[in-house]
Amino acid sequence: METADMDVEEQPHSDPSSNSYKRFGLKNSFQTNFGDDYVFQIVPKEDWTAMAVSLSTNAVKLYSPVTGQYYGECRGHSTTINHISFSGASTPHVLHSCSSDGTIRAWDSRSFQEVSCISAGNSQEVFSFSFGGSNDNLLAAGCQSQILFWDWRNKKQVACLEDSHVDDVTQVHFAPDHRSKLVSASVDGLICIFDTEGDINDDEHLESVINVGTSVGKVGFLGGKQQKLWCLTHIETLSVWDWKGAKNEASFQDARLLASNSWALDHVEYFVDCHYSEEAEQLWVIGGNNAGTLGYFPVNCNGVVAIGSPEAVLGGGHTGVVRSVMPMSSFQGGLAQNQGIFGWTGGEDGRLCCWLSNDSPQINRSWISSALIMRSPRTRRKSRHHPY
């Protein structure tokens, strides 16, 4: 176990291809080898008293997002966990997870015990899920080429959409400000928008289709009233759409090249996620290189579309591909209560890193949990570019 001390650096550049940005480094870090096991996803509880971390050991571990304290683990899935999410204000302690074992499970994050399990079928794999509907009673799940719906209150299946997609459904999201509208995305390159009012079926409830043209990895909402979608594909292209009108507003087919040209570091090899700030009305695409350095690249969709120079760089924390970023900019208590934490990252090196903003008197620090993962020789690796 080694300790590395690297203070935050302000690095102005005269080179127009790499403007000034804030570079975050490690301080007081602990290096531990986790072999082939790694972090998939990090998500916060609504009140930020806990965060859940899904691992390639088919378990979910819980930590304090402020102190890094380990709370416990939820274990029950038999294969890859594809998506995790905490419930909302009505059941804040409930954590949900879905897996390629065909189940969606609910856990009490206080006792770490399973409290319910819904099965999509023995031959199914569940890649994504979302709660919503006009009465907030629906659970939708992307299961291979189908979208299944349950009434989560009685766990009864109420619908199956099987004609809209022809390949794995990687994403399903109920629109935040339009709870009856469901957005789905698939490896078939299509994004579909459904109205889930009434008896749900493919013929009458499919409102519009967006043809992205290549396998879709992630989508998310942005803009006033969340009327727009950002879309990241498995070949690292980025696009922005008006989902109500199925209209393309920006397309970056060479997004990696644009991001790579905007900093002086190694080429951007992949994108991890996008982050949208309602307060700043700004979208960032988060890209990284194989050495584990991440950049927050601002995306301009108005006027001249562009991907700008990174406004923050997280370097020195990871030694491999980063899989998940959990920014804490939406933490309700602000920097004073979250102790200046910028966010958390996890990746294929098995590290869970915490980054401090330079508003913190501690300048910058990254914790790497020495108890994060136990090596499992039978673990099935989850491809970063495919949902299976």
Side-chain angles (χ1 to χ4, degrees), residues 268-289:
V268 173
E269 301 290 344
Y270 59 91
F271 292 119
V272 183
D273 211 336
C274 286
H275 174 58
Y276 178 71
S277 168
E278 291 187 20
E279 182 180 6
E281 297 183 345
Q282 178 63 59
L283 176 69
W284 291 271
V285 61
I286 305 170
N289 57 34

Side-chain angles (χ1 to χ4, degrees), residues 282-356:
Q282 178 63 59
L283 176 69
W284 291 271
V285 61
I286 305 170
N289 57 34
N290 291 331
T293 301
L294 292 178
Y296 270 66
F297 299 89
V299 180
N300 182 25
C301 302
N302 300 315
V304 179
V305 297
I307 295 178
S309 299
E311 296 182 356
V313 172
L314 308 181
H318 291 282
T319 59
V321 172
V322 177
R323 285 293 196 105
S324 184
V325 177
M326 188 190 80
M328 290 185 68
S329 58
S330 57
F331 185 87
Q332 293 178 350
L335 289 175
Q337 291 187 35
N338 72 3
Q339 300 181 14
I341 295 174
F342 180 79
W344 289 80
T345 56
E348 296 185 5
D349 55 8
R351 295 180 175 185
L352 183 63
C353 296
C354 177
W355 305 90
L356 298 192

Side-chain angles (χ1 to χ4, degrees), residues 211-243:
N211 187 357
V212 179
T214 188
S215 176
V216 179
K218 289 183 178 181
V219 296
F221 296 92
L222 73 150
K225 298 184 179 180
Q226 309 289 303
Q227 83 278 12
K228 298 179 183 180
L229 278 177
W230 57 260
C231 170
L232 284 174
T233 72
H234 288 127
I235 60 170
E236 316 297 352
T237 63
L238 170 66
S239 54
V240 177
W241 303 79
D242 180 336
W243 63 266

Side-chain angles (χ1 to χ4, degrees), residues 161-209:
L161 301 178
E162 53 188 357
D163 297 329
S164 299
H165 292 290
V166 296
D167 212 328
D168 294 339
V169 178
T170 54
Q171 300 271 276
V172 288
H173 294 287
F174 281 99
D177 292 343
H178 306 271
R179 299 300 288 164
S180 66
K181 307 295 184 182
L182 180 79
V183 173
S184 65
S186 169
V187 173
D188 63 15
L190 301 180
I191 297 174
C192 296
I193 293 89
F194 300 93
D195 186 348
T196 61
E197 291 278 11
D199 295 329
I200 307 167
N201 60 70
D202 287 280
D203 294 330
E204 297 178 3
H205 288 76
L206 176 61
E207 289 195 336
S208 59
V209 177

